[in-house]
Amino acid sequence: MGMAARGRAQLAVVLKGSLYVARCTIAGSLAYTAANVVGLEHPVWASVSALVVSQESATGTYGAIWGRFLGTLNGVMAAVSIGWVGAALHLSLALQIAAGVALCAALTIGRPHIRVSLWTCPVVLATAAADAHPALVAISRVAEVVLGAGVGAGLALLMEGRYGSRVSFATHACRRWTGSSATRRDRKIGGKS
């Protein structure tokens, strides 16, 4: 590999990393602002969701979204169920959290992508103990997650997704800025090797 090709490869790595930093920065602050504007009770969870789903590639981001949604639904369903039973049996919050985490842990064995339920359940139970009924808190958490994950996905689509999976934004930008119209692989595919 010549020096020019090595330089282009290094530039592509730097551009891809910079794109990821920009997406995370924008996603976190935009999700928080949007959650505040629509009046969600704890907008920080929208920001956290946007950051949790933000991965270095658009494909990774889209995959993380489903885990975030399913894990959140798992956690809120466990919290609402445990909260209802806990209230009927007059269980302490600590026992409710223990039961909820045990249930969520059992449901996530072998499913690391939905382990967000392990902290969603206690967050819903603890917030409900201080603020409102677990079902109302659960609805709020789901709204925050959907908003945050939507912001993360939207930015991935806008900033990287339009270039498709074969050519990343960084590679496209590197080719544009360096005047290189094709990589060695592209030339081989086109029969010009």
Side-chain angles (χ1 to χ4, degrees), residues 68 71-73 75-76 79 116-125 141:
R68 183 73 172 158
T72 297
L73 291 176
V76 298
V116 66
S117 66
L118 290 168
W119 72 75
T120 301
C121 181
V123 165
V124 170
L125 287 169
R141 284 308 82 76

Side-chain angles (χ1 to χ4, degrees), residues 45 48-49 67-80 97 100-101 104 114-128 134 137-142 144-145:
W45 290 112
V48 167
S49 291
R68 183 73 172 158
F69 285 151
L70 294 175
T72 297
L73 291 176
N74 185 37
V76 298
M77 288 189 304
V80 170
I97 289 173
V101 169
C104 290
I114 63 169
R115 288 203 175 130
V116 66
S117 66
L118 290 168
W119 72 75
T120 301
C121 181
V123 165
V124 170
L125 287 169
T127 306
V137 175
I139 291 167
S140 183
R141 284 308 82 76
V142 169
E144 292 154 2
V145 167

Side-chain angles (χ1 to χ4, degrees), residues 147-169:
L147 188 136
V151 167
L155 284 172
L157 181 65
L158 287 173
M159 295 177 78
E160 186 174 350
R162 84 174 243 218
Y163 297 102
S165 60
R166 242 185 104 213
V167 181
S168 71
F169 174 81

Side-chain angles (χ1 to χ4, degrees), residues 46-85:
S47 183
V48 167
S49 291
L51 296 172
V52 166
V53 302
S54 293
Q55 305 294 312
E56 289 186 53
S57 70
T59 304
T61 298
Y62 304 143
I65 289 168
W66 294 113
R68 183 73 172 158
F69 285 151
L70 294 175
T72 297
L73 291 176
N74 185 37
V76 298
M77 288 189 304
V80 170
S81 302
I82 297 295
W84 181 73
V85 170

